[in-house]
Amino acid sequence: MNIEIPEGKDPIQYVWGEMVPGIGPAASNLSLAVYAHTTLGLREFEAARLRVAQLNGCLFCLDWRTERDGQKVEEGFADAVTEWRTTDAFDDRTRLAAEYAERYILDHHGLDEDFWTRMAAHYTQAEIVELSMCIGSWLAFGRLNRVLGLDAMCVLPHSGATP
C-alpha cells in the first residue's frame, strides 16, 4: 500500500506526525532512542539491525549504516550478516546478535533454553533486554515503513537527531 501524501508534504513527517499526532512522535522518539542510548557494541548492534532489515525488506534500513564516533562497520558486513551461521567475520556476540534478531522475528516461540544459555554466556541480562527492545523497534518501524511504501523515502521525523 502507498499512503497518499499531500503535495509539498514530507512523506515520513506527514505519516509519522500529522496523520497520527498522538502516536507518531512517540514512535519516532523510541526509534531514535535505540541509536542515541544504546550501550551495545557497534558490530553486534549492526548485526541485529541489519538482520532485521534483511527480513523486513526495508529499503532504507538495508542501505543505512549506523555511525559511532566516525566509525561504521566494514564493507561486506551486510553479506556476513546474511551468512551469520558460517561467516568467520563475527565473534560470538556478533553472531548471537544476528541469530537473536532472526529468531525474534521468525521463531520467537522457538527461543529455547539452549539459546538462552548461549546468550547469557555472552550478554548481561540488561544487554539482552536492550537488544530485545532494539530488535522490537526495528521490526515494528522498519516493517511499518515497508508495508506503507515509505521505505524508499525514509527520513525519520525531526526530533533533533537522525539514527
Side-chain angles (χ1 to χ4, degrees):
M1 168 173 205
N2 287 319
I3 300 295
E4 292 182 30
I5 309 298
E7 184 80 26
K9 296 280 185 174
D10 175 89
I12 299 299
Q13 289 186 10
Y14 177 72
V15 172
W16 280 64
E18 290 183 49
M19 288 187 82
V20 289
I23 299 172
S28 176
N29 286 336
L30 171 58
S31 180
L32 293 169
V34 303
Y35 294 89
H37 303 293
T38 187
T39 64
L40 298 168
L42 180 60
R43 291 179 66 74
E44 62 252 21
F45 184 88
E46 277 294 274
R49 191 197 63 73
L50 277 164
R51 192 64 192 132
V52 173
Q54 290 166 349
L55 295 168
N56 272 347
C58 177
L59 300 174
F60 175 81
C61 301
L62 287 166
D63 285 340
W64 175 264
R65 295 298 176 271
T66 302
E67 183 177 324
R68 288 203 201 135
D69 301 323
Q71 299 294 311
K72 292 184 180 183
V73 293
E74 69 274 8
E75 195 69 33
F77 188 85
D79 293 332
V81 170
T82 302
E83 302 297 325
W84 65 263
R85 287 173 184 82
T86 57
T87 185
D88 60 0
F90 289 173
D91 63 13
D92 290 337
R93 281 178 60 96
T94 305
R95 187 179 318 282
L96 277 166
E99 178 183 357
Y100 185 35
E102 181 173 304
R103 293 180 72 177
Y104 186 107
I105 291 174
L106 299 177
D107 186 27
H108 63 284
H109 293 289
L111 293 169
D112 56 15
E113 231 13 76
D114 173 62
F115 173 78
W116 290 120
T117 298
R118 290 185 293 115
M119 280 295 283
H122 296 283
Y123 286 90
T124 67
Q125 288 187 347
E127 288 174 324
I128 291 170
V129 170
E130 182 179 332
L131 186 56
S132 300
M133 287 184 176
C134 289
I135 293 168
S137 170
W138 299 320
L139 170 61
F141 303 133
R143 192 160 293 179
L144 176 146
N145 286 336
R146 178 69 177 151
V147 167
L148 298 181
L150 302 173
D151 59 330
M153 55 190 118
C154 189
V155 175
L156 293 176
H158 212 74
S159 67
T162 56

